[in-house]
Amino acid sequence: MQAAIGLAALLVLAGCAQAVAQYVLLHTVPRIRERMGVRWARVVWHDKVLRRLAHVAPSLVVQAGIAAVPHLHPAAMAVVRNVAVAVTVLQLVRALTALLDAVLHEHERAPEGAPTSTRSIKSYVQLGKLLLVLVGAIAVVAALVDRSPLILLSGLGAMSAVLMLVFKDTILSFTAGVQLSSNDMLRVGDWIEMPQVGADGFVVDIALHTVKVQNWDKTITTIPTWRLMSESFKNWRGMFSSGGRRIRRALRLDTNAVRFLADEEIERLSRIALLRPYLEDKRRDVQSSNEAVRERLGEHAVAQPANLRRLTNIGTFRAYVQAYLRAHPRIHQDMLLIVRTLEPTAEGVPLELYCFTATTAWVEYEAIQGDIFDHLIAVLPEFGLRLYQSPTGGDLRLALQK
């Protein structure tokens, strides 16, 4: 009877200890935390951490007071004490996992642009929680069987091969996550392309085992973290940080339209403001070159046009495109800008534009690119050029009617 009364009193005391601990930790400490207003206090004294710490008090009271219960059998006393220790360890592990969650939550609350705002620590938090659970499980089992945890750890050494096999993906993913983070290869918010897994979009989450990518069609692709180290992927972060987005597109010109320019055409094109400096320099250069040919070969050589230098419509158009891009306010002038003709193909002569817009926003980039090519296609007839186009059914019907 005395033992039963003692146990009941101990349980009541444990309940009172929990009530006091909850009042202090959940009412007094939050006021101090708000009054301090510092970041570390929001983490260490997070409501979830304090709530789980309050559950430690009853088991501590049971551990301390079980010896004072009269006439309790030593075996029963040992069992109760071991269970109380196991519960204490369990609640401490839960409190520490809540602390890790609070660290992750505070990290994700970092203001936009802060050095830590794009660095994900979720994989480290998940690994820490996994290690805490493993250590806590060993400590709980050791407390229940009343043996030293070192004995259990020595037994686990013989199971290392099995553990390595079970946690193979976890080990690979953690190693890959450390390499990705230390080399700054991947951040939350990066646009990546990984065609082999169907990923093309922004990184929305970096965890211990997986990286989530939201594709442009709003679907989610989940990539194992270790694959990002064993396979290649494209990260577009450099494009955004540079401030310019590349335009690389070609106009395929009809080869049959390429010819020399007549003098009256040169005069007409000279009235284009963007072309005037180019044509003046070219005409002086061509004139001096032809004079040198006349002096070297004689007047009879001038009668053959192949002996003379002459301006072509495709070369003049290339100079116009170059000047047009140089004068365009939405083209990044500090980055590479080239207008070149590529090797002629069965689809005409490609005239390639290689430049960068002054913005990286997708919608603005497409609008700028569209405006440029709309203008260039419309101005082609001024130079006597036309785009190559494969014959269509309508073209064949017109040809047959003629």
Side-chain angles (χ1 to χ4, degrees):
M1 182 63 68
Q2 293 179 1
I5 294 174
L7 287 175
L10 184 60
L11 291 176
V12 172
L13 185 61
C16 294
Q18 181 172 358
V20 172
Q22 285 183 342
Y23 180 82
V24 173
L25 293 177
L26 299 180
H27 293 82
T28 306
V29 174
R31 295 175 184 175
I32 300 174
R33 179 188 62 197
E34 297 302 326
R35 191 177 296 114
M36 294 175 63
V38 294
R39 191 175 183 183
W40 65 265
R42 291 199 303 266
V43 176
V44 178
W45 293 341
H46 192 274
D47 290 341
K48 191 175 181 180
V49 177
L50 297 177
R51 190 178 300 108
R52 292 186 177 181
L53 280 177
H55 291 87
V56 179
S59 59
L60 290 177
V61 171
V62 172
Q63 293 179 56
I66 190 65
V69 176
H71 306 290
L72 187 64
H73 194 277
M77 184 182 299
V79 170
V80 173
R81 182 183 291 111
N82 292 341
V83 172
V85 171
V87 172
T88 302
V89 172
L90 177 62
Q91 296 300 336
L92 287 175
V93 169
R94 295 181 72 241
L96 290 175
T97 56
L99 178 62
L100 291 177
D101 289 335
V103 171
L104 178 62
H105 177 70
E106 187 66 26
H107 180 273
E108 292 177 346
R109 286 181 54 190
E112 191 71 24
T116 59
S117 61
T118 56
R119 299 291 185 90
S120 176
I121 63 170
K122 192 171 185 178
S123 60
Y124 299 101
V125 170
Q126 289 180 338
L127 181 66
K129 291 169 71 174
L130 178 61
L131 293 177
L132 278 174
V133 170
L134 290 176
V135 173
I138 294 174
V140 167
V141 173
L144 291 176
V145 299
D146 198 16
R147 292 290 185 272
S148 172
L150 297 177
I151 298 176
L152 297 179
L153 289 175
S154 63
L156 290 177
M159 300 178 60
S160 58
V162 177
L163 293 176
M164 290 290 289
L165 182 62
V166 172
F167 295 105
K168 180 189 68 172
D169 291 341
T170 301
I171 295 172
L172 290 175
S173 297
F174 175 71
T175 305
V178 171
Q179 292 177 345
L180 290 172
S181 178
S182 60
N183 296 320
D184 198 16
M185 298 170 62
L186 192 66
R187 300 177 186 173
V188 174
D190 283 354
W191 171 17
I192 67 169
E193 285 185 37
M194 201 170 180
Q196 57 269 37
V197 296
D200 183 10
F202 288 102
V203 176
V204 295
D205 185 41
I206 301 176
L208 176 60
H209 294 94
T210 58
V211 172
K212 292 182 180 179
V213 178
Q214 186 178 49
N215 302 310
W216 295 111
D217 58 359
K218 300 305 179 182
T219 58
I220 300 293
T221 298
T222 303
I223 309 172
T225 307
W226 59 268
R227 291 195 65 173
L228 292 168
M229 288 303 302
S230 62
E231 301 177 21
S232 61
F233 67 94
K234 181 189 291 186
N235 193 329
W236 289 82
R237 188 200 312 161
M239 181 268 292
F240 287 106
S241 60
S242 69
R245 191 163 184 169
R246 186 183 70 175
I247 295 176
R248 185 180 183 181
R249 185 181 290 184
L251 289 169
R252 300 189 180 276
L253 305 179
D254 192 342
T255 309
N256 295 323
V258 177
R259 56 179 173 79
F260 291 113
L261 289 175
D263 293 338
E264 58 272 15
E265 290 177 313
I266 296 176
E267 289 296 332
R268 178 175 56 81
L269 292 174
S270 297
R271 293 194 290 269
I272 301 176
L274 292 175
L275 272 179
R276 189 178 299 119
Y278 167 79
L279 289 176
E280 289 177 355
D281 292 341
K282 273 297 182 181
R283 280 195 291 188
R284 285 194 298 266
D285 188 23
V286 168
Q287 186 177 359
S288 62
S289 178
N290 290 339
E291 289 295 333
V293 172
R294 181 180 290 104
E295 293 176 1
R296 187 173 68 255
L297 300 179
E299 289 293 336
H300 65 280
V302 180
Q304 176 55 254
N307 293 329
L308 302 177
R309 289 186 58 189
R310 300 172 65 184
L311 295 180
T312 62
N313 58 352
I314 189 172
T316 306
F317 179 67
R318 185 176 69 247
Y320 171 78
V321 176
Q322 183 90 14
Y324 176 76
L325 293 178
R326 286 297 181 190
H328 201 291
R330 304 302 304 275
I331 295 298
H332 206 304
Q333 302 299 326
D334 296 331
M335 293 186 175
L336 184 62
L337 193 157
I338 297 176
V339 180
R340 58 176 182 165
T341 53
L342 303 179
E343 180 182 358
T345 66
E347 296 180 351
V349 182
L351 183 74
E352 185 182 71
L353 281 66
Y354 192 104
C355 59
F356 292 82
T357 61
T359 180
T360 59
W362 189 15
V363 176
E364 296 180 28
Y365 162 79
E366 293 293 346
I368 295 169
Q369 184 173 231
D371 289 343
I372 289 173
F373 280 89
D374 290 347
H375 174 78
L376 296 180
I377 293 172
V379 84
L380 275 176
E382 295 291 328
F383 297 85
L385 294 168
R386 59 179 178 270
L387 287 178
Y388 174 85
Q389 181 173 314
S390 299
T392 63
D395 298 328
L396 295 178
R397 281 195 297 270
L398 288 174
L400 291 175
Q401 289 174 3
K402 293 179 180 179

